[in-house]
């Protein structure tokens, strides 16, 4: 039985079975996710099937019906994105992470996804020991990413100084942030639908929502961080 998950890592989706929701046939196994850095959102995936993975399917995230713990169910595959358009959307796992002050702090290793919307909850990078940081994996909020290239990404140095070390126990906090992202995403869709129907106040609502989204997102992690610190002190 396939069970919905709240948040998961990009690496946990690789090699996951993809099934056609309507025919129940196997489409293939995930080999690549497409990552839109500007929107901080996964917008699709590539899966392979057949002898030695010779057949490729490029699937948009809108075609994803459900992400379960055992498989990904997708809708109709009639329209597929051309492979030539995917190069700029490939996840640059392994690129160097530098700060906007010119310091190399580690390598980009993974990211946490909210499955329903494809939104990035957090990026993950491995520390190179910069400024005495312990070896390990650290979290980085999407808003901290400044620019992205093929060999390195540049992030805000202040965000790196305040980043949390990633542990499996942090998933509870990630799930809380994912819930905010999901509800915020649904509200945006509702507002967009109302806008099409000519409802007056919607434009103002969208503007206010955009302004507050970043602050609310940060508060989710701030509250979780303070809560964790209190537990540790007790």
């Amino acid at each position: 039985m396939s069970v919905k998950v709240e948040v998961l890592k990009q690496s946990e989706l690789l090699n996951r079975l993809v099934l056609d929701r309507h025919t129940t046939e196997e489409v293939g196994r995930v080999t690549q996710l497409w990552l839109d850095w500007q929107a901080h959102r996964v917008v699709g995936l590539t899966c392979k099937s057949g002898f030695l993975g010779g057949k490729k399917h490029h699937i948009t995230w809108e075609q994803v019906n459900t992400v379960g713990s055992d498989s990904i169910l997708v809708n109709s595959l009639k329209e597929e994105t051309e492979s030539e358009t995917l190069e700029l959307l490939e996840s640059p796992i392994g690129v160097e992470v530098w700060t906007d002050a010119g310091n190399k702090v580690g390598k980009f290793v993974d990211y946490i996804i909210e499955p329903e919307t494809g939104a990035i909850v957090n990026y993950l990078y491995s520390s190179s020991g910069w400024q005495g940081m312990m070896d390990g994996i650290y979290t980085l909020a999407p808003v901290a990413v400044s620019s992205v290239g093929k060999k390195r990404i540049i992030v805000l140095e202040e965000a790196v100084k305040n980043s949390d070390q990633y542990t499996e126990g942090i998933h509870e906090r990630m799930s809380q942030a994912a819930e905010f992202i999901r509800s915020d995403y649904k509200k945006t869709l509702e507002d967009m639908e109302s806008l099409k129907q000519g409802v007056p106040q919607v434009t103002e609502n969208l503007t206010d929502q955009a302004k507050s989204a970043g602050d609310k997102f940060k508060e989710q992690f701030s509250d979780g961080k303070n809560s964790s610190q209190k537990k540790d002190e007790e």
Side-chain angles (χ1 to χ4, degrees):
M1 180 179 178
S2 186
V3 179
K4 277 190 175 182
V5 291
E6 289 297 320
V7 294
L8 44 75
K9 291 184 290 187
Q10 172 264 171
S11 56
E12 293 174 328
L13 282 178
L14 298 180
N15 202 42
R16 187 164 299 194
L17 180 65
V18 178
L19 300 174
D20 188 304
R21 173 72 175 78
H22 301 290
T23 67
T24 72
E25 294 297 319
E26 180 177 328
V27 180
R29 289 187 177 272
V30 178
T31 58
Q32 175 72 54
L33 297 187
W34 316 340
L35 177 59
D36 184 343
W37 281 97
Q38 297 296 321
H40 299 295
R41 189 177 301 278
V42 172
V43 295
L45 59 87
T46 294
C47 64
K48 290 183 179 181
S49 62
F51 181 66
L52 296 178
K55 189 173 183 179
K56 287 184 179 181
H57 290 285
H58 306 300
I59 304 166
T60 65
W61 205 255
E62 284 71 22
Q63 292 173 286
V64 174
N65 179 274
T66 304
V67 177
S69 57
D70 301 312
S71 68
I72 299 174
L73 302 183
V74 299
N75 293 317
S76 174
L77 301 178
K78 292 180 180 179
E79 295 183 7
E80 295 187 12
T81 302
E82 295 295 328
S83 58
E84 290 78 8
T85 66
L86 305 181
E87 292 185 8
L88 296 177
L89 298 173
E90 293 182 357
S91 303
I93 301 298
V95 300
E96 297 175 348
V97 178
W98 290 69
T99 73
D100 55 350
N103 298 307
K104 180 181 176 181
V105 297
K107 285 188 176 181
F108 177 70
V109 296
D110 215 331
Y111 48 90
I112 309 293
I113 307 166
E114 194 289 299
E116 187 171 329
T117 65
I120 305 302
V121 179
N122 261 95
Y123 293 112
L124 302 178
Y125 70 94
S126 61
S127 169
S128 62
W130 176 71
Q131 286 201 346
M133 292 180 70
M134 296 176 59
D135 290 341
I137 307 301
Y138 288 81
T139 64
L140 195 67
V143 293
V145 177
S146 178
S147 56
V148 179
K150 292 184 177 181
K151 295 183 178 180
R152 58 188 62 86
I153 66 174
I154 295 179
V155 302
L156 303 180
E157 182 159 311
E158 195 60 33
V160 173
K161 291 179 179 178
N162 293 286
S163 59
D164 290 328
Q165 190 164 12
Y166 176 79
T167 62
E168 293 304 322
I170 208 171
H171 264 75
E172 180 180 352
R173 208 154 77 228
M174 297 290 185
S175 296
Q176 293 173 355
E179 179 59 36
F180 163 70
I181 289 175
R182 186 162 52 248
S183 60
D184 185 66
Y185 178 74
K186 289 180 178 179
K187 180 64 167 58
T188 299
L189 291 181
E190 291 172 1
D191 285 345
M192 290 300 292
E193 186 60 34
S194 298
L195 186 60
K196 291 178 183 178
Q197 297 173 7
V199 177
Q201 313 85 320
V202 175
T203 301
E204 184 178 345
N205 290 344
L206 284 172
T207 302
D208 292 341
Q209 186 177 347
K211 289 181 179 178
S212 62
D215 293 337
K216 289 181 179 178
F217 185 81
K218 292 176 182 177
E219 288 174 5
Q220 289 283 347
F221 284 100
S222 177
D223 292 343
K225 184 176 181 179
N226 292 335
S227 176
S228 298
Q229 290 176 340
K230 287 183 178 179
K231 288 182 179 179
D232 293 339
E233 292 174 358
E234 292 174 356

